[in-house]
Every structure is written in structure tokens, then in C-alpha cells.
Amino acid sequence: METGKPQATTDTRQQLDDLRAAVDSLGSFIFMKDLQGRYTYVNERVRNLFGLPEEAILGRDDSTFFSLDQSRDLRENDEQVLRQGRAIETQERNVIAATGEERWFWTVKRPLVSADGSIHGMSGACTDITEKVQLERALREKQALLETVLDHAPACIYLKDTDRRYVYLNHRTAALYGHDPDAIVGARDEDLLSHETAENCRGLDDRVLATYAPQQGEETFTAADGRIRVYETEKVPLLSEDGTFTGFIGFSRDMTETRQLQQRLERMAHEDQLTGLPNRRRTEQVLEEELNRAHRSGQPLSLLALDLDHFKSVNDHYGHEMGDQVLVQLGVILDERLRSTDTLGRWGGEEFFVILPDTDLEGAQQVAETLRQTTETSIHAGDTPVTVSIGVTQYDHSQTLRAFIQHADGLLYRAKHSGRNQVALISSQAAFR
């Protein structure tokens, strides 16, 4: 019996040494503490973490090794295990006192229970997840930065899957719908918009889905406030690493004000600023279009050249403001007497052109006489009636544009030289009144 004890002791020591070696080879930080939180065992990884030999660690608590005011997770977790007897598995942040280095661990801590059921310490196993936490933090920071950029970008930016459901949208896009982004994710345009607006947005969607190629175009959108907005949109397909089509990202830039400005500039380029009528350039364009149409169709086309009589006297006697009022009134009153297919344009100064499609000379004469009489009875400069002289001509299907205009002008001057306030026709030697 006596001879067996040394061998048993040797075996036990060998087993303990083997166990220590096994624990030291683990990729985790293994330790034990007593009820006062003092270390009673640490494996090699813990010793390396603190940079101290085992004898310098055992018997000391964490205040020696960690900045406890910055390592509240550690203190709170130990308290739950040692005082409440709870086993925990959680993420823990520690700050090394000697270096100030922040370390993150996935920690498993369990109470050590005696035979009588009392707690006499705790065991712990920690896995270093510092790199993982740092990567996650960096990812969150980059994501926050990206979201900030996207939310403040001067465009609606959104991501849809292959079923055209929203996967992501920035706040500028969500504002169009009048909802938070989270309330829109998972929905399609037809779930949120009127049928007409949804169909308009679907056009480019379907082209991307059909071609797997970028698509550009213009989309009209009725926003939550009821205003119609115009967007210049590009939609780009998204492919996974293996080339699978996963959806598309859209960039829509609000062009409403730009389009309105363009339309305004176009109107200004073709509109007389005083009367709002087509200016000389636009009137000549319309006349050329109608002349070409009449030439192709063989239908009649007539032109009236109309000029205010004694307009210089109106300006000299009543002032240019009164003269401007007369021109504006003339444009309004004459335009009311014309068909929607007719064009009244200001040719320059006090001269106006009236383009009469599908109208022969006889019909044009009747229109001219109506306009002459209307002017005389409806427009006054002070107490003086305003009158006009009018030249009337019909396109003969062989004239050039310039010759057609000159013919109408020549007849206008015939009317003026014949006494004014009358209509001169191409077929008459004398003015008609």
C-alpha cells in the first residue's frame, strides 16, 4: 500500500501538468477567482495579456490589471456571478490599466459551488473579439456616414429587388411618399401611389428588369403634397459576385424648377413681353409651318397684316403707358374674335399678323372686317376711338414665305394710304370698307 502513494502522487501531478498544458493551449483566456474577486488561477493567455508571471497575478483582484472605472462590464458581470450565483454569457469591454488599450471579450462566467451548495468563487473563459468589435464599429460608422451622404444628396436614391420592392430609400425619397423609410421598405410603387404615377415609374423599372442594363429617362411623380414633380432618372442593375441579378439602384434628380425655367425661357424666346402674344420670330415660324401644310394639303391659307392708325399720335398725346395699354387691349380683344386654330402675333411696333388656316380670301375678308369694327368700337385712347388698317391676302401655293409676307404688307400700306380704318384685298384696286 505504501509503495503505491508516490506513484499516485506522480500520476496526479502529471495529470495536472497535462491539464494546465491543455488549458494553456486553448485559444481562450481561462481564469478562476475567489469570492473577493482575487485570481486563484490564470492560464498562459491571461499571463501574456497582463505581461506578468503567475505569482504576480494570483491573489490580486482586477483593480491591479484593469481600469475599473472604464471596465464597468467586468465589475457588473462578476457581481452577478459571485453575489447572485448566475451564469452569464455576454460581451464585455475591458481597458488594460498598464497600456490604456481597449479590449473586447465574449465572456462565459460561472459560479464555483461547494458540496454544501455555497459559492466559493467563479470560473471564466473569455474569447478576444476586439478585432470583430472594431470592424463592426468601423462598419457602423461607415454606414452612418453613407446614410448621411445619401440623405443629404441632392437626389432621390433608392434600391429595389427583382420584384420591384423597396429594399432601401433615402429620406428625400421617403418624403415624396409622406412616410418614414422603414414604412416603405418591402412595398412596391403600386402599393403607395396612384395607378397613373405608379405606371409612369414602372416604365424604367421594367426596362432594367428586361435588359439587365442601365436605363435613363424622365419620370413624372405626384408627390404626397399633390404637386407634380419631374425627375431625371437613371436606374442601374445590381449583380452579385457570381453575376446573379439582384435588383437595381435608382437615382432621381428633381428637374421640376429647371423644366419650368426652360419653359419660361422658351416662352420668352417666342412670346412678346408686352402683349403675351407670339413675337415676330414665333409668328414667322407658325406662318412657315402653315404655309408648308397648305402647300401639301392644297387647303387655303390667308394672312392679315394689321396696323394701328395714328399710333404715334396716341403715344405723343397720351404717353407711352397709354400706348402700351392700347396694344395690350388690342391683343386681348382681337384674340377673342379668332378661332383656336388661328394665330395672332405681334409683328413689331404697332403691327400685328393674323394667320388664318383653311380660310380663303372671302372668309379672311369677313374676319378682317370683324376685327376692324371690333377695334373701332371697343378700344379708346382717352375719348378717341382707336382704328386699324388691314391688308388681306391668300396664299397662291407658289409664293415663298417672304413674298407672302411682303404681299400682305403691301396691301396693308394700300389700306393706310387710302385713308386708314379699312381693309385692302389682294383682288381689289380700291380699299374695302
Side-chain angles (χ1 to χ4, degrees):
M1 295 291 291
E2 294 294 329
T3 58
K5 289 183 179 179
Q7 181 63 43
T9 301
T10 301
D11 290 345
T12 300
R13 287 177 179 171
Q14 184 62 51
Q15 290 173 352
L16 288 173
D17 290 341
D18 291 344
L19 181 59
R20 279 178 172 272
V23 174
D24 284 342
S25 68
L26 296 175
S28 298
F29 299 84
I30 309 297
F31 57 88
M32 289 190 292
K33 299 178 183 178
D34 62 17
L35 277 176
Q36 284 70 46
R38 295 173 299 204
Y39 286 96
T40 58
Y41 169 76
V42 290
N43 74 342
E44 184 178 16
R45 289 186 70 85
V46 177
R47 298 194 298 271
N48 292 339
L49 176 66
F50 296 154
L52 295 169
E54 186 176 44
E55 59 268 22
I57 300 173
L58 299 183
R60 291 178 172 82
D61 63 21
D62 287 318
S63 63
T64 304
F65 313 108
F66 296 103
S67 298
L68 293 182
D69 58 333
Q70 301 179 68
S71 307
R72 283 174 291 183
D73 293 346
L74 188 156
R75 290 182 299 164
E76 292 173 1
N77 292 336
D78 282 10
E79 181 72 20
Q80 291 185 57
V81 177
L82 294 173
R83 303 291 174 256
Q84 301 175 28
R86 296 178 57 187
I88 62 168
E89 294 185 25
T90 188
Q91 185 171 285
E92 189 174 273
R93 174 182 179 271
N94 297 331
V95 177
I96 308 299
T99 63
E101 180 186 6
E102 179 187 63
R103 301 293 286 269
W104 290 84
F105 299 93
W106 181 256
T107 297
V108 178
K109 294 181 177 179
R110 300 184 184 279
L112 295 174
V113 182
S114 301
D116 62 1
S118 62
I119 298 172
H120 65 270
M122 62 173 286
S123 65
C126 300
T127 303
D128 193 333
I129 59 171
T130 303
E131 184 176 353
K132 174 178 176 290
V133 170
Q134 290 173 341
L135 288 173
E136 290 175 346
R137 180 186 294 168
L139 181 61
R140 287 194 300 271
E141 290 174 352
K142 289 182 179 179
Q143 184 173 356
L145 175 61
L146 178 60
E147 289 182 355
T148 299
V149 171
L150 293 177
D151 282 335
H152 289 83
C156 294
I157 302 174
Y158 44 90
L159 176 65
K160 294 182 182 181
D161 62 18
T162 55
D163 196 33
R164 297 185 299 102
R165 296 186 183 277
Y166 283 99
V167 176
Y168 164 83
L169 63 165
N170 66 353
H171 282 83
R172 188 180 292 270
T173 308
L176 290 175
Y177 295 101
H179 300 292
D180 291 330
D182 290 343
I184 300 174
V185 170
R188 294 184 294 186
D189 286 323
E190 50 264 45
D191 301 324
L192 305 162
L193 305 171
S194 68
H195 176 75
E196 181 179 357
T197 301
E199 284 298 306
N200 182 268
C201 294
R202 183 169 181 166
L204 287 178
D205 289 8
D206 287 343
R207 281 161 54 184
V208 175
L209 293 170
T211 64
Y212 298 167
Q215 300 293 331
Q216 298 84 31
E218 195 168 272
E219 294 178 326
T220 303
F221 190 97
T222 303
D225 59 7
R227 292 187 299 169
I228 297 177
R229 314 295 296 180
V230 178
Y231 288 89
E232 188 176 77
T233 296
E234 180 173 8
K235 297 182 179 179
V236 181
L238 297 174
L239 305 176
S240 63
E241 290 186 3
D242 63 1
T244 302
F245 177 71
T246 60
F248 57 90
I249 187 169
F251 305 89
S252 298
R253 189 159 60 100
D254 193 338
M255 301 296 291
T256 307
E257 282 72 25
T258 301
R259 291 289 183 268
Q260 290 173 346
L261 178 59
Q262 289 174 340
Q263 292 170 1
R264 182 181 176 188
L265 292 174
E266 288 174 2
R267 286 196 302 271
M268 290 176 64
H270 296 94
E271 185 179 275
D272 177 61
Q273 298 304 298
L274 175 64
T275 64
L277 297 173
N279 60 14
R280 181 182 184 125
R281 178 184 178 187
R282 179 56 184 159
T283 301
E284 188 169 350
Q285 287 177 345
V286 173
L287 183 58
E288 184 174 18
E289 291 167 2
E290 291 296 341
L291 186 146
N292 291 333
R293 190 173 72 86
H295 186 75
R296 292 192 305 270
S297 67
Q299 295 299 312
L301 170 67
S302 292
L303 176 63
L304 311 184
L306 180 152
D307 192 82
L308 285 162
D309 297 328
H310 304 295
F311 187 68
K312 184 177 183 301
S313 298
V314 173
N315 283 327
D316 291 344
H317 186 73
Y318 296 102
H320 287 279
E321 184 175 351
M322 173 63 77
D324 287 348
Q325 291 179 10
V326 168
L327 291 172
V328 172
Q329 290 177 24
L330 180 69
V332 171
I333 290 174
L334 297 190
D335 197 48
E336 289 175 346
R337 299 299 189 277
L338 298 173
R339 303 168 300 178
S340 61
T341 54
D342 300 333
T343 299
L344 171 65
R346 187 180 179 190
W347 192 246
E350 62 269 29
E351 185 176 1
F352 296 77
F353 273 9
V354 181
I355 304 169
L356 302 171
D358 302 321
T359 305
D360 60 14
L361 190 64
E362 182 179 355
Q365 174 189 335
Q366 294 174 358
V367 172
E369 183 60 23
T370 298
L371 299 183
R372 187 197 67 77
Q373 292 177 8
T374 298
T375 303
E376 186 176 20
T377 57
S378 301
I379 303 177
H380 294 76
D383 296 328
T384 305
V386 173
T387 63
V388 293
S389 298
I390 305 174
V392 182
T393 186
Q394 180 180 340
Y395 176 54
D396 66 4
H397 293 276
S398 64
Q399 293 167 298
T400 64
L401 174 66
R402 193 57 49 202
F404 191 36
I405 292 172
Q406 289 173 350
H407 207 166
D409 263 337
L411 290 164
L412 167 63
Y413 287 114
R414 178 189 297 175
K416 296 183 81 67
H417 293 156
S418 298
R420 295 183 173 83
N421 191 21
Q422 53 190 274
V423 175
L425 300 177
I426 188 173
S427 60
S428 62
Q429 296 301 317
F432 170 86
R433 182 171 176 182

